Amino acid sequence: MSGILLETRGVSKSFPGVKALDNINMEIRKGEVHALIGENGAGKSTFVKILAGALQQDAGSIYIDQKEVEIANPTKATEYGISIIYQEFNLFSELSVAENMFIGREPLKNNGLIDWDKVYNDAANILNRLGVSLNLYQKIKDLKIAQQQMVEIAKAIGVKAKLVIMDEPSATLTEYELDKLFSIIEELKNQGISIIYISHRLEEIFEIADCVSIFRDGQHIATRGIEELTKTDIIRMMVGRKLEKHFPKKDFDFGDVTLSVKDLYLEDSEQPFSFEVRQGEILGITGLVGAGRTELMRAVFGADPKKSGKIYLEGKEIHINEPKDAIDHGIALVPEDRKGQGLFLGLPLTDNITMSNINAVLKNGIIQHKIEEKEVSKYIDLINIKTPSLQQVPRSLSGGNQQKVVLAKWFFSESKVIIFDEPTRGIDVGAKVEIYNLMNKLLEEGKAIIMISSELPEVLGMSDRIMVIHEGKIQGTIDNDNATQEKIMHLATGEEEMEVV
């Protein structure tokens, strides 16, 4: 690594009621992997959007190769060699891999028509350079998420990027796919391309980063070489305090069985699912990607169809044909896709929080806004949602605060069973602990929790029992006292089977 590629001096940005960035001074060196981390709302996304031309700073300067530049829009960013890969990919699902790689900058023949031979030849050369094997003619909609991500990276390389910004690139990848991504990052680095890598997974940072910059509350706290840091150091700088316990699980005396599922067959399952969860208990559900964890709980919630089976709530059989039935019976689902399925991003917090139990704020069929605001304020304080007002829309909040809004909705509904699907995906360490503490609050009130998670430390740290699913069946259930990562992985890969308890 040698030389500074990009430098920011005094970059600041404010939004109504929020100072998102405050005097950011940063350097990105050529050919380095520069990790950018911080709590949700720390300013990371605002910073990289300014570099990518999606936002403009209110103050400060940006230098590329020691020359001051104005990145007025994404096109300008591309001209300066900056590409960004967002969590939500910017691909056209009906177009092919090659078409997506060159969309908006297709090479033309002398007659002004697109030179398709050059499109596909150049696309093949870029993929070969990355060591990626993809069918150039295949439509994006037919690719796996990891393959779509490779197309995004190929697009970035295709515009001769000097700096590639990756925003939470590993959030939806399996271990094998993650290894492939890391190999490609190493190849980009060898070619002299710089990477800004945003992730909440600290183990990844220590595996691939050369240096780390920590943001907190819109400020640049520090930049350090990775060899100078420990996880504890990073967490302390991120949250401004030492987190004594990453998984603050409290033990409660279990009550009666709250939810019981008997011989439930999904639309395409060959074996039935049977399990139960008790008052004051967290039943963790884990397994490899595609094992059927989410599909099972969506069927219980009525969001997906089921062929047969019985569901009992507090000992009485209930019938759930759609989510409204589940909600009416006191069953809540915090979905994996909080933006697409858990929130109305353009509606104010008041509407999002009260919609699950709207009758509580109605009088003669009319919403009583004073009552609504009082109730919503109570839950915003209880759950510690950081928002400038009750009328703020969720799309303007950080990921951790969006997740808290979903939780507030179900707190307000007074549900008896709360199903969490990947409750802390894309959420920073400090916000994770807050979510775990909210789970403890629910348990203290006698609720029952089902938690689906791909993160084994989270499963082991927060569950009382762990149910492992492999290829559409329950491979085994382990009490937490007897559980280890090795035992869980043996079950998750189908190497062992154990009696369901």
Side-chain angles (χ1 to χ4, degrees), residues 138-429:
Q138 194 168 10
K139 290 184 177 182
I140 293 296
K141 69 178 183 180
D142 297 324
L143 298 180
K144 295 178 180 177
I145 292 294
Q147 293 173 315
Q148 292 181 24
Q149 188 171 72
M150 299 309 165
V151 176
E152 285 279 21
I153 294 172
K155 275 175 58 181
I157 303 309
V159 298
K160 298 181 180 178
K162 299 176 183 177
L163 171 65
V164 178
I165 302 167
M166 298 184 179
D167 189 1
E168 294 287 351
S170 65
T172 57
L173 300 186
T174 65
E175 287 298 318
Y176 171 79
E177 292 164 345
L178 190 57
D179 288 342
K180 181 63 178 174
L181 174 64
F182 288 172
S183 297
I184 288 174
I185 288 173
E186 185 66 26
E187 179 58 32
L188 295 177
K189 179 180 168 181
N190 292 337
Q191 295 173 19
I193 296 170
S194 304
I195 310 286
I196 293 179
Y197 191 92
I198 301 174
S199 178
H200 290 116
R201 297 179 175 179
L202 297 187
E203 61 274 10
E204 294 176 9
I205 301 301
F206 282 92
E207 186 167 349
I208 65 167
D210 298 301
C211 62
V212 180
S213 287
I214 296 102
F215 279 19
R216 185 175 75 235
D217 297 332
Q219 296 184 328
H220 174 212
I221 301 302
T223 295
R224 299 280 188 274
I226 192 66
E227 70 282 350
E228 303 174 45
L229 294 167
T230 65
K231 287 186 180 181
T232 301
D233 295 332
I234 291 175
I235 291 168
R236 186 181 65 252
M237 286 189 279
M238 280 175 60
V239 303
R241 62 192 185 280
K242 188 174 180 181
L243 293 178
E244 297 292 345
K245 198 170 183 181
H246 294 183
F247 301 103
K249 175 73 168 71
K250 292 183 180 179
D251 293 323
F252 297 93
D253 293 332
F254 301 145
D256 296 332
V257 171
T258 304
L259 180 75
S260 178
V261 174
K262 303 288 187 185
D263 296 326
L264 181 70
Y265 280 89
L266 307 184
E267 283 283 277
D268 57 354
S269 64
E270 296 179 1
Q271 297 193 36
F273 290 91
S274 297
F275 62 91
E276 61 186 31
V277 60
R278 297 163 287 186
Q279 282 183 323
E281 179 185 34
I282 295 180
L283 173 66
I285 300 181
T286 193
L288 301 180
V289 173
R293 304 162 302 172
T294 294
E295 291 79 1
L296 170 61
M297 298 321 301
R298 281 177 58 86
V300 170
F301 189 66
D304 286 347
K306 48 190 173 289
K307 286 192 293 190
S308 61
K310 295 185 177 182
I311 300 174
Y312 299 86
L313 187 71
E314 296 177 333
K316 296 179 181 179
E317 185 177 358
I318 59 174
H319 300 281
I320 299 175
N321 297 310
E322 58 182 5
K324 185 179 183 303
D325 299 332
I327 294 168
D328 289 344
H329 286 297
I331 300 173
L333 173 64
V334 180
E336 178 181 13
D337 179 7
R338 57 179 171 264
K339 289 184 179 179
Q341 300 173 358
L343 295 166
F344 288 96
L345 294 174
L347 294 181
L349 298 189
T350 48
D351 292 357
N352 271 277
I353 291 172
T354 59
M355 68 175 62
S356 63
N357 187 16
I358 193 68
N359 289 332
V361 295
L362 290 181
K363 185 176 181 181
N364 299 323
I366 299 173
I367 294 176
Q368 304 300 297
H369 292 292
K370 287 187 177 179
I371 296 174
E372 181 183 52
E373 290 175 2
K374 181 180 177 182
E375 290 294 321
V376 170
S377 294
K378 179 174 75 175
Y379 287 102
I380 283 176
D381 290 343
L382 173 70
I383 298 178
N384 191 27
I385 299 172
K386 295 176 182 176
T387 175
S389 77
L390 302 184
Q391 298 306 310
Q392 182 69 284
V393 295
R395 71 160 53 95
S396 301
L397 301 179
S398 68
N401 282 299
Q402 288 177 355
Q403 188 73 319
K404 290 180 187 178
V405 175
V406 180
L407 280 177
K409 173 173 68 176
W410 296 123
F411 267 89
F412 182 66
S413 73
E414 300 182 347
S415 302
K416 300 171 183 176
V417 180
I418 298 91
I419 303 165
F420 289 87
D421 193 353
E422 301 289 1
T424 63
R425 174 167 286 169
I427 293 177
D428 63 76
V429 177

Side-chain angles (χ1 to χ4, degrees), residues 474-485:
I474 300 174
Q475 194 76 3
T477 304
I478 321 172
D479 285 324
N480 188 283
D481 291 342
N482 300 316
T484 64
Q485 290 201 27

